[in-house]
Amino acid sequence: MTTSADAAREAVTRVFGIRHHGPGSARSLRLALEEFAPDTILIEGPADADPLVGFVAADGMRPPVALLAYVPATPARAAFWPYASFSPEWQALRYAAEFAVPVRFCDLPAANALAASDDGGESGDPLAELAAAAGYDDAERWWDAVVESSADATAFDAITEAMAALRDSPVSAVVDAHTLRREAFMRQTMRKALKAGARRLAVVCGAWHAPALTGPLGPAAPDMRLLKGMPKVKATVTWVPWTHSRLSTASGYGAGVTSPGWYHHLFTETEQPVARWLTKVAGVLRAHDLPVSSAHVIEAVRLADTLATLRTRALAGLSEVTEAVRSVLCGGDETMVRVVVAELVVGEALGAVPEGVPTVPLDADLRAAMRTLRLKQEPTPKTLDLDLRKDRELERSRLLHRLRLLGIDWGTPITGEVRNTGTFRESWRLKWRPEFAVAVIEASRWGPTLRIAAQAKILDTAQSTGVTLADLTDALDLALLADLGDATEGLITRLESVAALDHDVTHLLAALPGLTKTLRYGDVRGTDTEALGHVADGLLVRICAGLPGAVTGLDTDAAAQVRALIDAAHTAVHTRDDAWSTAQWLTALEKLAERADVHGALVGRAVRLLSDAGVIDEGQAARRLSAALSIGNTPAAKAAWIDGFLGGRGLLLVHDRELLHLVDGWLESLAEDQFVETLPLLRRTFGAFESGERRAIGRAVRDTGPGPGTAVADIDSARGLLAMRTVAEILGVNS
């Protein structure tokens, strides 16, 4: 009678120590599996992901992809196990699917990994020591030269032996407790597979773990003690799309490689890989307007092959082809070499997962919306210009705004080339990143669909302590952009209550432009904003009533801030084009312009805005300017009034010669110490004008001559020349 122990002795186990995401390892593993013909395969990966193995061969599954494990209660607590087409683990999964071989993951379950307090993993790079022993200063270059450039099914025993020597070496990194627990779990999984009847068991794991799994497994008791009492959390595992750039070490991925794009090329292009690679490089450089001919490519291939021969390599590796690219195709231009590295060596490719993969309802709603609106997740930036008069493009805009509200910045608003065609246009820059998969899961706590989730989140934010008027007006604007009609009423109610309790007129002034913008966007998008109009009216009444008190006793810096708010509010009222609102606002500005106890920059600005609105004519504006420049005011106060009146509109002095004479006469009357005192403010005022405006003012001063009533006497030509040169420099006039 044959016992279970006898059966285990009859079974054959092969451990294949691989390098994660190595094309040479993947090709060698595929050959080794075909030669070994296992009846069971175990792969390093979270054991609770076993139910997802069946999706590997499903339609729509395209690497790079990753296993995502997360804690449903706190989705930000997550971990990824990514695979590319050139990952050995993926090739093992594909082999199992093609030949109907049972396959399981054998590493610690994600439920344990996510509960672990330590990060785990080996400290240091064990390959670096092997590379140093072989004379390489870079472990990646050594692995690329020894393993990745060829396929050898017999290399695994040598790799395991080398790793065993490293683990036993006194200078090697100490194997940490988390790694020991992982290896104990792997051995336990192997024992279960053998007990279940496996006779030809293949184990695919990182090369560092291979020595711990090779040979007799020994008694299970020590491993059980290591695993006893391990912390555990409730975890959910699914497949998500991944990108090549996220497989790169530059992304912070601990098991990453520096050149995923190159590795993908090596794995997929088995015939003349160097020539085909350099042809791709030529295409990239031509796309960047660099003249690269076929002769350049031929010469680059020759140089790469020559370098490989000199370095006794069977095939040119990445270092050789990069040197050939630098010397022949880029002419030594490191900038273009970096372009090649970014676009090809690292590369960018986004995988895909089948529709049936388990997911949260919010993700399913997002996928359905993307199909309907014909939007694709792409890893490279793409500009999307939308015409909001078209139903589909309007819905695209709403989708992107809802995602932004939920913290999923797939789209970023930009100023596009068609922006000047009006408010019916929107431009976005789209770029999908793998971590958005976690962001979608996190956002699912707000609701099962994008609309419901966005409404719930924006209302929750509005009710938070410390929310400001500006925050609420921004939220209202976003709610209308995202078509969250059910949230609008709650936001308006909250806005009214916060505004009623806020007695700071500067806060009210700051909120008014946002409300006006929201009103206009609502009109463009066909949204009912009547209630919002009542809020804006109430806000304006309180601003007009509180403005006199808010502008009293301000210093120069505070006056400059209030002036900017008044400018924005004036633009908002003008944009709204409502007769009642305009009348209320202009009345408040008239009261401000009559005040004698207000900073000159604000009075000057009020006069200027009233003049622009036609409330006062040019003659009245000139008389007010003359009064401001009269005896009794300090030079600094006069300069501030002029700055407020003229700021941003230099052509006013060109077209209104009376104003020009007043300013010119005042400047002529200044004593030297007064001129020096006011010069910084004057430079700021005139420096803000366009260069063409400054030249026009200079010509007007030159051509017009002294104004009426100006006496010319006792002119010191030498000192006058110095003064004129200074004025010419201020005005931007060539002397």
Side-chain angles (χ1 to χ4, degrees):
M1 181 177 179
T2 303
T3 65
S4 58
D6 295 331
R9 281 194 293 272
E10 295 172 3
V12 179
T13 300
R14 285 288 308 277
V15 178
F16 300 101
I18 50 89
R19 188 190 188 192
H20 303 296
H21 319 304
S25 288
R27 194 173 292 112
S28 297
L29 177 64
R30 183 71 186 219
L31 292 174
L33 290 176
E34 291 173 357
E35 178 184 304
F36 181 57
D39 59 11
T40 302
I41 300 176
L42 299 180
I43 299 174
E44 181 181 329
D48 40 5
D50 285 345
L52 299 173
V53 168
F55 290 102
V56 170
D59 291 338
M61 178 67 88
R62 184 182 71 249
V65 292
L67 287 170
L68 163 63
Y70 62 93
V71 180
T74 54
R77 196 172 183 180
F80 296 94
W81 288 262
Y83 305 110
S85 60
F86 52 83
S87 300
E89 299 95 329
W90 183 258
Q91 287 303 312
L93 288 168
R94 289 295 307 174
Y95 174 90
E98 291 172 16
F99 293 93
V101 178
V103 60
R104 293 178 56 193
F105 291 107
C106 62
D107 205 347
L108 280 176
N112 297 116
L114 291 173
S117 58
D118 54 352
D119 293 332
E122 302 83 34
S123 58
D125 183 3
L127 296 179
E129 297 182 41
L130 292 177
Y136 285 78
D137 57 359
D138 185 343
E140 187 104 357
R141 283 188 60 225
W142 171 80
W143 187 270
D144 184 40
V146 175
V147 179
E148 301 305 346
S149 298
S150 61
D152 185 0
T154 64
F156 294 103
D157 291 340
I159 292 173
T160 300
E161 184 179 350
M163 291 299 166
L166 276 179
R167 289 174 67 117
D168 293 337
S169 171
V171 298
S172 177
V174 177
V175 180
D176 61 273
H178 183 73
T179 299
L180 292 175
R181 287 192 291 270
R182 291 176 61 195
E183 292 170 350
F185 189 89
M186 292 180 193
R187 287 190 293 269
Q188 287 288 74
T189 308
M190 292 169 65
R191 292 186 181 99
K192 291 179 182 177
L194 292 171
K195 187 176 180 180
R199 292 295 175 267
R200 301 186 66 80
L201 177 64
V203 182
V204 179
C205 63
W208 181 249
H209 303 295
L213 309 180
T214 303
L217 293 176
D223 290 338
M224 293 175 65
R225 285 194 295 270
L226 273 176
L227 298 172
K228 186 177 180 181
M230 285 190 65
K232 186 177 182 180
V233 295
K234 183 179 179 180
T236 300
V237 189
T238 186
W239 287 109
V240 295
W242 206 247
T243 62
H244 276 171
S245 63
R246 289 296 174 179
L247 289 170
S248 170
T249 51
S251 69
Y253 173 41
V257 293
T258 59
S259 50
W262 166 253
Y263 278 2
H264 178 78
H265 175 82
L266 279 184
F267 189 75
T268 56
E269 301 289 350
T270 56
E271 299 294 330
Q272 297 183 322
V274 173
R276 293 178 183 274
W277 174 261
L278 291 171
T279 301
K280 288 182 180 178
V281 172
V284 168
L285 296 177
R286 287 169 187 156
H288 288 274
D289 299 324
L290 197 68
V292 178
S293 67
S294 299
H296 284 97
V297 176
I298 294 170
E299 187 58 33
V301 172
R302 184 180 295 117
L303 177 57
D305 289 341
T306 302
L307 289 172
T309 301
L310 290 173
R311 295 167 182 173
T312 64
R313 297 193 56 176
L315 180 69
L318 181 60
S319 59
E320 286 77 28
V321 295
T322 300
E323 289 177 39
V325 168
R326 178 181 292 108
S327 301
V328 180
L329 302 185
C330 296
D333 186 349
E334 286 298 326
T335 300
M336 296 313 300
V337 174
R338 286 194 290 270
V339 169
V340 172
V341 170
E343 295 190 20
L344 282 183
V345 176
V346 174
E348 195 57 284
L350 179 67
V353 298
E355 290 296 329
V357 168
T359 185
V360 293
L362 186 67
D363 186 49
D365 183 58
L366 173 59
R367 293 186 190 183
M370 289 168 54
R371 286 195 305 272
T372 302
L373 300 176
R374 298 182 182 177
L375 288 172
K376 292 183 179 179
Q377 297 172 345
E378 296 179 325
T380 53
K382 175 186 176 182
T383 299
L384 181 67
D385 292 314
L386 300 177
D387 184 344
L388 303 181
R389 293 167 295 186
K390 298 178 180 178
D391 291 342
R392 176 180 291 170
E393 300 200 3
L394 179 59
E395 288 301 320
R396 286 179 171 181
S397 170
R398 290 169 174 169
L399 170 67
L400 294 172
H401 280 296
R402 289 170 187 173
L403 289 172
R404 291 192 74 217
L405 276 170
L406 293 170
I408 306 165
D409 293 326
W410 178 20
T412 304
I414 61 172
T415 301
E417 296 179 357
V418 297
R419 185 65 179 174
N420 58 358
T421 59
T423 54
F424 287 103
R425 294 283 186 177
E426 267 187 0
S427 294
W428 296 79
R429 176 167 286 109
L430 305 184
K431 182 180 180 180
W432 184 265
R433 297 196 295 271
E435 56 267 30
F436 289 157
V438 176
V440 171
I441 294 169
E442 286 186 278
S444 66
R445 68 189 178 97
W446 297 107
T449 68
L450 290 170
R451 184 188 182 98
I452 293 173
Q455 287 178 169
K457 184 176 181 182
I458 201 170
L459 287 173
D460 181 79
T461 303
Q463 296 299 328
S464 61
T465 304
V467 67
T468 65
L469 274 174
D471 295 334
L472 289 171
T473 54
D474 289 344
L476 255 176
D477 185 37
L478 289 173
L480 289 174
L481 293 174
D483 190 30
L484 305 179
D486 293 343
T488 303
E489 183 178 348
L491 289 172
I492 291 175
T493 301
R494 177 64 170 158
L495 179 63
E496 287 179 312
S497 63
V498 172
L501 297 174
D502 196 331
H503 302 291
D504 192 328
V505 174
T506 60
H507 292 172
L508 304 179
L509 278 169
L512 188 62
L515 278 179
T516 304
K517 177 186 174 186
T518 302
L519 280 167
R520 284 182 58 77
Y521 263 112
D523 292 340
V524 169
R525 292 164 178 266
T527 308
D528 183 10
T529 55
E530 182 180 353
L532 191 56
H534 293 314
V535 176
D537 291 341
L539 209 61
L540 184 61
V541 169
R542 295 187 60 208
I543 289 172
C544 294
L547 193 59
V551 298
T552 304
L554 299 180
D555 60 16
T556 299
D557 291 338
Q561 294 175 1
V562 173
R563 171 180 146 182
L565 293 173
I566 289 176
D567 283 346
H570 183 80
T571 302
V573 172
H574 177 73
T575 302
R576 187 179 174 189
D577 195 21
D578 176 76
W580 180 87
S581 299
T582 302
Q584 292 291 316
W585 175 249
L586 293 177
T587 300
L589 288 181
E590 287 185 271
K591 293 178 181 178
L592 175 59
E594 299 293 338
R595 298 279 296 274
D597 58 344
V598 177
H599 197 280
L602 296 178
V603 176
R605 178 58 63 169
V607 172
R608 155 78 180 281
L609 296 176
L610 290 169
S611 177
D612 290 345
V615 176
I616 60 177
D617 57 27
E618 293 181 355
Q620 290 177 297
R623 287 192 293 274
R624 290 173 185 259
L625 174 60
S626 179
L629 298 179
S630 63
I631 297 173
N633 293 325
T634 65
K638 296 174 183 179
W641 204 101
I642 291 176
D643 182 53
F645 184 74
L646 294 178
R649 192 180 173 188
L651 288 179
L652 187 65
L653 292 178
V654 179
H655 298 304
D656 193 330
R657 296 304 172 91
E658 185 177 353
L659 290 178
L660 178 62
H661 284 309
L662 288 171
V663 175
D664 189 36
W666 170 64
L667 285 172
E668 289 180 356
S669 70
L670 291 175
E672 181 177 357
D673 59 335
Q674 294 175 332
F675 183 78
V676 171
E677 179 185 350
T678 58
L679 184 59
L681 184 56
L682 290 172
R683 286 182 66 89
R684 186 181 71 183
T685 302
F686 285 86
F689 298 158
E690 296 289 340
S691 59
E693 292 177 335
R694 294 198 298 270
R695 286 193 294 271
I697 293 171
R699 286 192 296 269
V701 171
R702 180 191 63 195
D703 299 339
T704 304
T710 303
V712 180
D714 300 328
I715 296 177
D716 186 329
S717 300
R719 296 181 66 189
L721 182 59
L722 292 174
M724 289 302 295
R725 286 176 178 171
T726 302
V727 173
E729 182 179 352
I730 293 174
L731 296 176
V733 179
N734 294 328
S735 58

